[in-house]
């Protein structure tokens, strides 16, 4: 009789455990679905914001930083989960000197230079390459100033997303990475939407 009682109790405990696990899994599933929907909604919102910025770039090829900052101010306010918005030109090697001069005049910094990270992850003046995709404008400037001039094409992860965006003409995203201006070790995703004007390719 004692053996039977023990087996029954053990069975009840196991069934109760399975029932609790089932409820827990169902609860996790519901939370997971809700979180998934939230992510999808935020992705769509971000995609629309970036697409709007791309259209602005296409119709305003001579845009200044003050215009860029004005346009992005409301978008950033309405989307606090967006760390920053930037406009990155596609620059050929032969265009680099003139481009740096122009950005020094219309950009947010007086001495604009295209930069890259060295082996110790310090930002230095970029070496010669066939092309560059530097951060020309970025907003908000507070907390993001270190990114100005950084050639996102100098990093393999970012370059892969650039190539995808430019080859497909559609939005592309990077794998998780750390921004050059990030001081707290947090990971981010870069979403890149190609924009075109005068048949010149840019990544913004």
């Amino acid at each position: 009789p004692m053996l039977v009682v023990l087996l029954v109790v053990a069975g009840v405990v196991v069934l109760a455990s399975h029932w609790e696990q089932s409820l827990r899994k169902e609860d996790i599933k519901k939370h997971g679905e809700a979180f998934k929907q939230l992510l999808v909604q935020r992705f769509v919102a971000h995609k629309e914001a970036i697409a709007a910025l791309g259209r602005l770039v296409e119709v305003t090829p001579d845009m200044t930083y003050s215009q860029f900052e004005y346009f992005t101010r409301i978008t950033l306010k309405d989307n606090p989960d967006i760390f920053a918005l930037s406009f990155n030109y596609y620059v050929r090697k032969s265009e680099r000197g003139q481009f740096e001069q122009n950005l020094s005049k219309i950009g947010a910094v007086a001495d604009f230079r295209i930069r890259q990270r060295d082996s110790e992850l310090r930002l230095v003046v970029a070496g010669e390459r066939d092309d560059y995709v530097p951060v020309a404008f970025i907003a908000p400037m507070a907390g993001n100033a270190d990114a100005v001039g950084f050639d996102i094409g100098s990093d393999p992860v970012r370059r892969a997303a650039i190539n995808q965006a430019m080859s497909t003409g559609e939005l592309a995203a990077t794998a998780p990475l750390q921004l050059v201006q990030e001081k707290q070790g947090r990971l981010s995703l870069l979403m890149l939407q190609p924009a075109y004007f005068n048949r010149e390719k840019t990544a913004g």
Side-chain angles (χ1 to χ4, degrees), residues 103-120:
L103 261 292
S104 295
K105 296 176 182 177
I106 67 173
V109 296
D111 185 22
F112 182 93
R113 301 296 300 276
I114 297 177
R115 301 183 296 165
Q116 66 183 49
R117 277 175 163 169
D118 63 13
S119 59
E120 297 181 4

Side-chain angles (χ1 to χ4, degrees), residues 36-52:
K36 176 183 176 182
Q37 289 300 318
L38 178 61
L39 287 178
V40 170
Q41 292 172 3
R42 297 315 301 150
F43 179 81
V44 171
H46 295 172
K47 184 177 180 180
E48 291 175 350
I50 295 173

Side-chain angles (χ1 to χ4, degrees), residues 7-159:
L7 287 175
V8 171
V9 171
V12 171
V13 171
V14 170
L15 289 175
S17 176
H18 281 302
W19 182 66
E20 288 180 2
Q21 289 179 11
S22 178
L23 288 178
R24 202 172 293 125
K25 288 180 180 179
E26 187 65 27
D27 193 43
I28 291 173
K29 182 179 179 181
K30 289 180 180 178
H31 283 293
E33 286 297 324
F35 186 63
K36 176 183 176 182
Q37 289 300 318
L38 178 61
L39 287 178
V40 170
Q41 292 172 3
R42 297 315 301 150
F43 179 81
V44 171
H46 295 172
K47 184 177 180 180
E48 291 175 350
I50 295 173
L53 181 57
R55 290 190 293 271
L56 173 70
V57 168
E58 290 178 336
V59 300
T60 318
D62 298 322
M63 179 172 50
T64 64
Y65 178 75
S66 60
Q67 293 172 320
F68 175 85
E69 193 276 334
Y70 177 82
F71 180 84
T72 57
R73 193 181 304 160
I74 298 299
T75 302
L76 290 168
K77 181 180 179 181
D78 293 342
N79 298 273
D81 48 343
I82 295 180
F83 191 75
L85 289 170
S86 71
F87 173 39
N88 310 339
Y89 279 88
Y90 178 86
V91 182
R92 296 183 178 88
K93 180 170 65 174
S94 61
E95 303 166 335
R96 177 177 178 176
Q98 187 62 53
F99 173 78
E100 290 178 330
Q101 289 182 28
N102 290 343
L103 261 292
S104 295
K105 296 176 182 177
I106 67 173
V109 296
D111 185 22
F112 182 93
R113 301 296 300 276
I114 297 177
R115 301 183 296 165
Q116 66 183 49
R117 277 175 163 169
D118 63 13
S119 59
E120 297 181 4
L121 302 182
R122 295 173 301 189
L123 286 169
V124 298
V125 175
E128 286 195 2
R129 285 188 292 279
D130 290 338
D131 58 18
Y132 311 87
V133 188
V135 176
F137 302 151
I138 192 166
M141 184 59 67
N144 293 297
D146 287 347
V148 175
F150 176 65
D151 175 20
I152 64 174
S154 64
D155 172 69
V157 175
R158 293 169 171 84
R159 172 59 75 171

